[in-house]
Amino acid sequence: MFAQSVFRTRCAGWLSAIGILLLLSGCAEETKPSTLERIQAEGTLRVITRNSPATYFEDRNGETGFEYELVKRFAEDLGLKLEIQTADSLDDLFSSLKKPDGPVLAAAGLVSTPGRSQSALFSDEYLQVTPQVIYRNGQRRPTGPEDLIGKRILVLKGSSHAEQLAALKLQYPELNYEESAAVEVVDLLRMVDEGQIDITLVDSNELAMNQVYFPNVRVGFDIGEAQKLAWAVAPGEDHSLLDEVNAFLKRAKDNGSLQRLKDRYYGHVDVLGYVGAYTFAQHLQQRLPRYEKFFRDAAQAHKIDWRLLAAIGYQESLWQPGATSKTGVRGLMMLTLRTAQAMGVSNRLDPKQSIVGGAKYIVYMKEQLPESIQEPDRTWFALAAYNVGSGHLEDARKLTKAEGLNPDKWLDVQKILPRLAQKQWFSKTRYGYARGGEPVHFVRNIRRYYDILTWVTQPQLEGTQFAEGNQHVPGIDKRPQPPQTTPL
Ligand code: GLU
């Protein structure tokens, strides 16, 4: 039906101008709609991806992941409904692109390799990654391909890394490795972490996403040049969808939305750094279980998300109850004496009391904020106030407004806050000088820790302890989410 209607619209006007014969030969090709026309007629963009933390998974707010968010924007731009399918394996992903009723686009953290040129057409790049050789801490660090000989190596079946290893084997025939279609990148990293295999190869973005869960995982060396992640469509002459994808990616690069997504999903790497990521993983296993119940109880009593509270605790003291600073703040939540007294904390070094005090204080800070500030910004403002004080925050909001920006948006106020440390600005404010850059870092760090804690503590683990060895990796389970305490 669609083909006929295209035929009619395209060809109706020509009927009088050219002969029937010419028309038949000229329009015969036009009758087959392009992929783009077909999906526009269907109104749905069918996308295939991998269910993994770097691509697509479910968190407290539902579907998420870097690829998901990017492809969602693409579908919105085209005015299409998005339909996501997850592939069982990379081979399955590529073969499904060729099926007539299959997905039209693969957005799955794929490297556009030469070996894949028969299986798909790749878009322009949206992320640069480096393939990395991963080994277990405590083992001898591999520093070059020859160190891989004799090792138990496992990679994803059909992956860019399998392709790399196949090429390497031509050079080093003694090199042996296995491929598995039954695992995901998170499994490979876990297997290295637990010593089930010696080596795996993953892309730097996948490691960045997962390092915090695997304290024993280390990078041996970068294997080869940086590579391009790209989306893929079915191979062939039809470039209609691909052109649309490339135009979209260009817009996303130009208007900064691609960079914002990168910051959101990979920004914690800047905050934690590589070393920080595995330190965090260690603390997650060794320290958090001791205080998790206190966080959960206090958060429940004060109707906030326990992971937010735990993230504040990590930022404040790295979950150390005896922490003290020169400025007189103490304890796991680093409360001042005044705040502790106001919140009914008699012993700041008692972790339970400190956590309850912190929970009360953050709620109190939220209550002080003007009604006009909505969630999730409300939470970020409350954190900033926790760090720099409500007076200074109010000053920064006034300066923000004077600049023509929105004083109720954290994104705007955080740009202005550092000015509180400059005389030309703070001299105009009510509360004067403040280290205005600090709350910006404070909020940014806590948001990262909070994100990580959310990924780690998927719903099926609610009520369990990390201490019981339930270290979880995200992206695997897709059960429905529990109701959220904080609308973030
Ligand atoms: N980027 C890989 C590929 O294109 C898959 C993910 C990984 O193994 O890191 O095959």
Side-chain angles (χ1 to χ4, degrees):
M1 264 196 27
F2 179 79
Q4 278 171 8
S5 75
V6 168
F7 185 93
R8 274 199 296 272
T9 22
R10 294 256 163 106
C11 302
W14 303 356
L15 277 168
S16 54
I18 48 176
I20 293 284
L21 264 179
L22 200 61
L23 171 109
L24 282 177
S25 61
C27 290
E29 284 160 23
E30 298 269 345
T31 57
K32 188 165 183 283
S34 69
T35 307
L36 187 64
E37 286 169 329
R38 193 160 52 83
I39 56 180
Q40 273 165 343
E42 283 172 16
T44 304
L45 181 70
R46 275 173 286 118
V47 174
I48 190 151
T49 188
R50 295 158 43 221
N51 183 203
S52 90
T55 51
Y56 168 74
F57 67 103
E58 294 209 8
D59 75 358
R60 61 185 183 275
N61 298 319
E63 297 170 292
T64 185
F66 181 87
E67 297 286 349
Y68 172 74
E69 293 289 345
L70 193 59
V71 89
K72 193 170 86 178
R73 283 164 179 70
F74 178 51
E76 274 163 14
D77 267 22
L78 293 184
L80 298 170
K81 205 172 129 260
L82 178 63
E83 197 183 288
I84 294 277
Q85 304 171 20
T86 52
D88 286 338
S89 65
L90 285 164
D91 292 341
D92 169 45
L93 180 142
F94 284 107
S95 61
S96 70
L97 277 182
K98 293 184 184 163
K99 291 187 187 140
D101 295 322
V104 290
L105 183 67
L110 301 171
V111 171
S112 67
T113 68
R116 286 173 172 166
S117 58
Q118 301 299 311
S119 323
L121 282 176
F122 282 93
S123 72
D124 294 340
E125 140 194 354
Y126 56 83
L127 194 69
Q128 232 187 42
V129 299
T130 313
Q132 296 180 313
V133 171
I134 307 297
Y135 76 107
R136 186 171 200 268
N137 188 29
Q139 303 295 310
R140 212 174 128 244
R141 177 182 179 169
T143 55
E146 53 291 335
D147 292 341
L148 303 183
I149 293 165
K151 293 281 166 28
R152 292 171 300 167
I153 305 174
L154 184 68
V155 293
L156 294 194
K157 182 155 190 313
S159 65
S160 51
H161 308 115
E163 202 175 312
Q164 270 188 297
L165 287 173
L168 209 59
K169 194 170 165 61
L170 299 176
Q171 244 178 303
Y172 302 91
E174 320 90 288
L175 176 80
N176 287 315
Y177 62 94
E178 282 181 45
E179 297 180 42
S180 171
V183 292
E184 245 303 334
V185 174
V186 282
D187 301 298
L188 295 173
L189 291 171
R190 196 194 59 242
M191 289 163 100
V192 173
D193 192 69
E194 292 173 356
Q196 292 171 32
I197 54 173
D198 299 320
I199 300 282
T200 189
L201 270 59
V202 302
D203 288 331
S204 47
N205 67 315
E206 301 265 356
L207 179 71
M209 209 67 188
N210 291 301
Q211 174 78 72
V212 290
Y213 313 113
F214 304 110
N216 302 314
V217 151
R218 296 288 185 278
V219 177
F221 61 98
D222 290 349
I223 185 157
E225 299 294 302
Q227 298 188 324
K228 298 167 180 178
L229 291 195
W231 287 349
V233 301
E237 297 300 308
D238 184 346
H239 289 205
S240 57
L241 179 59
L242 198 65
D243 291 345
E244 216 42 63
V245 166
N246 286 337
F248 163 76
L249 290 176
K250 183 170 183 325
R251 284 198 299 280
K253 279 174 201 159
D254 292 347
N255 66 24
S257 58
L258 181 61
Q259 190 54 45
R260 279 196 294 280
L261 267 191
K262 289 181 190 176
D263 288 348
R264 187 162 138 209
Y265 284 93
Y266 298 111
H268 65 276
V269 184
D270 309 339
V271 172
L272 293 172
Y274 172 58
V275 174
Y278 62 73
T279 308
F280 185 85
Q282 272 164 352
H283 293 161
L284 201 61
Q285 283 187 346
Q286 291 158 10
R287 294 184 183 170
L288 183 60
R290 292 182 218 146
Y291 312 112
E292 186 181 333
K293 187 163 164 22
F294 301 153
F295 284 125
R296 284 180 184 272
D297 291 349
Q300 197 177 16
H302 296 281
K303 297 189 175 54
I304 50 176
D305 189 326
W306 78 269
R307 293 163 296 200
L308 179 70
L309 204 54
I312 302 171
Y314 192 72
Q315 168 66 23
E316 291 288 16
S317 69
L318 306 178
W319 295 322
Q320 299 177 102
T324 55
S325 91
K326 281 184 261 138
T327 54
V329 292
R330 308 187 121 202
L332 201 143
M333 301 299 278
M334 293 300 243
L335 303 174
T336 62
L337 189 57
R338 243 180 78 200
T339 306
Q341 281 165 351
M343 299 297 132
V345 173
S346 58
N347 178 6
R348 285 185 289 168
L349 298 181
D350 172 352
K352 188 173 173 185
Q353 282 198 34
S354 179
I355 289 169
V356 171
K360 283 188 187 166
Y361 193 47
I362 194 80
V363 169
Y364 171 76
M365 283 301 174
K366 261 196 193 189
E367 282 165 3
Q368 305 305 303
L369 295 170
E371 290 291 312
S372 54
I373 305 173
Q374 304 287 311
E375 289 290 3
D377 295 75
R378 207 171 170 78
T379 296
W380 316 140
F381 278 94
L383 290 174
Y386 187 103
N387 177 262
V388 77
S390 319
H392 290 305
L393 185 65
E394 200 41 42
D395 281 347
R397 291 184 65 241
K398 283 185 188 139
L399 291 178
T400 305
K401 190 157 184 228
E403 283 294 295
L405 297 170
N406 188 343
D408 295 338
K409 285 279 164 230
W410 175 245
L411 214 61
D412 286 355
V413 175
Q414 66 152 13
K415 285 188 203 133
I416 303 298
L417 264 163
R419 291 190 184 173
L420 296 181
Q422 297 166 30
K423 192 165 177 205
Q424 70 168 121
W425 297 103
F426 73 70
S427 57
K428 296 188 190 121
T429 63
R430 171 149 176 220
Y431 295 92
Y433 169 85
R435 282 199 211 95
E438 265 185 25
V440 178
H441 289 294
F442 184 80
V443 173
R444 195 176 66 145
N445 289 3
I446 290 172
R447 287 178 69 167
R448 297 301 181 210
Y449 300 142
Y450 182 38
D451 280 344
I452 297 164
L453 286 166
T454 307
W455 296 330
V456 184
T457 57
Q458 293 282 297
Q460 73 276 18
L461 283 193
E462 291 293 351
T464 65
Q465 301 271 315
F466 296 122
E468 292 164 5
N470 271 326
Q471 176 77 3
H472 178 70
V473 287
I476 302 299
D477 194 282
K478 291 185 65 201
R479 284 184 232 177
Q481 303 291 301
Q484 290 307 309
T485 40
T486 313
L488 296 171

